[in-house]
Amino acid sequence: MTKNPWNFSIKQKEEAISYYRKNGVVGFHDLINLEDLYSILTGINEAIKNDDLIYNDADYTDQNDLIFSHPILEKYVKDKRICNITRELLGIPIELQHAKFAAKPKKDKITGGIKWHQDFPFFPHTNYDLVACSIHLDDEEIDSGPLKVIPQSHELGVLSHCTDGKFMYHCTDEKKINENKSTVLKCNAGDVTFHHCLTLHSSEPKKNNKDRRLIVFEYRAQDALQLSGAIWNSNGYQVEKNTNNGKARFPNGIVIENRGNNGKLFDIYGKFKPSESKQKVSISYDG
């Protein structure tokens, strides 16, 4: 076992699952291997070369629908090792909610910080069984701006991310943010971390000139249906057989049958877009 209590070997799977359910976060240093890492990096580099993925030195990159930018990347969202551990963390059959490439600017040392937030308020669902799987593509240092999380913060429930009814892209319920309990997920290339959709997390701007790139697969229970927020082309992508038959489950255990495309929210005219103005995902970090 590594010196980081959140970072496990896949051989310690049961211990890792128990840790995740208590703390809302967990990592594995051997879920994928070096060959997998090199394969993923090949897909990333070829996608960038073909202009199917955008990454430059000056801007924070937050590109969704990553899996459609290269066949290698689509292959890994269905990887049995990743999907099996995700299903065990949630305890229920899964599908994809979205997939993105997140990279801090290589040269700009001011932008790229993300304030404390939960993922759930960005894409509310009928239940809270969603988990973000992050594949870390680079060795990270403290000045790389690695992920920070507050263990057990998922037990706080959904926190406000609004001020006067306006969505602020970060948690505004500041009294609930206890930074003294935070921990830094400083990872090596090839590490894979998971965090619950209600786990508070953030990251500081990158202060070195090294790459700091993540692939993020947001998985959800098959009976978690999205209520609002942006709908990406990868929303509902099947990574294993769908056994849900269009039902939606709520936190109180109520299950309803849902109409539509196997119970999915769908846009019949292709015009369903958020009415809010476009915001930069990279929010200046104020401590």
Side-chain angles (χ1 to χ4, degrees), residues 176-189:
K176 297 289 182 66
I177 302 173
N178 188 347
E179 292 194 53
N180 293 328
K181 293 185 176 181
S182 68
T183 188
V184 178
L185 306 186
K186 188 172 78 67
C187 293
N188 294 318

Side-chain angles (χ1 to χ4, degrees), residues 149-258:
V149 301
I150 300 179
Q152 301 183 28
S153 57
H154 66 306
E155 299 290 353
L156 296 172
V158 182
L159 302 179
S160 179
H161 287 55
C162 294
T163 298
D164 296 329
K166 181 180 179 181
F167 192 69
M168 301 303 293
Y169 292 81
H170 64 90
C171 179
T172 55
D173 198 349
E174 296 181 358
K175 292 182 179 179
K176 297 289 182 66
I177 302 173
N178 188 347
E179 292 194 53
N180 293 328
K181 293 185 176 181
S182 68
T183 188
V184 178
L185 306 186
K186 188 172 78 67
C187 293
N188 294 318
D191 285 359
V192 182
T193 59
F194 298 84
H195 66 262
H196 191 281
C197 67
L198 295 180
T199 297
L200 283 163
H201 57 290
S202 68
S203 67
E204 297 190 39
K206 187 167 66 62
K207 298 173 184 176
N208 60 34
N209 291 324
K210 300 177 181 179
D211 287 309
R212 189 283 208 176
R213 300 167 294 174
L214 303 177
I215 286 176
V216 181
F217 298 146
E218 183 80 30
Y219 294 101
R220 66 185 179 193
Q222 291 178 0
D223 59 4
L225 272 67
Q226 189 166 337
L227 300 172
S228 63
I231 299 289
W232 302 101
N233 289 330
S234 54
N235 189 287
Y237 183 95
Q238 297 299 292
V239 297
E240 60 184 12
K241 183 178 179 180
N242 189 303
T243 58
N244 182 50
N245 297 319
K247 296 181 175 64
R249 174 173 50 90
F250 293 82
N252 59 4
I254 290 177
V255 176
I256 65 169
E257 295 177 335
N258 217 11

Side-chain angles (χ1 to χ4, degrees), residues 56-94:
N56 59 55
D57 289 345
D59 300 315
Y60 186 97
T61 301
D62 191 61
Q63 184 167 328
N64 280 283
D65 286 333
L66 166 78
I67 58 173
F68 302 130
S69 65
H70 197 281
I72 289 177
L73 305 178
E74 186 170 11
K75 167 190 169 184
Y76 275 95
V77 80
K78 299 179 288 186
D79 186 275
K80 287 185 178 180
R81 294 163 297 179
I82 294 172
C83 291
N84 286 347
I85 193 64
T86 304
R87 186 191 319 109
E88 292 194 60
L89 291 176
L90 289 180
I92 196 167
I94 62 170

Side-chain angles (χ1 to χ4, degrees), residues 46-62:
E46 289 182 359
I48 292 172
K49 182 179 178 181
N50 296 333
D51 292 327
D52 293 318
L53 192 62
I54 299 170
Y55 177 48
N56 59 55
D57 289 345
D59 300 315
Y60 186 97
T61 301
D62 191 61

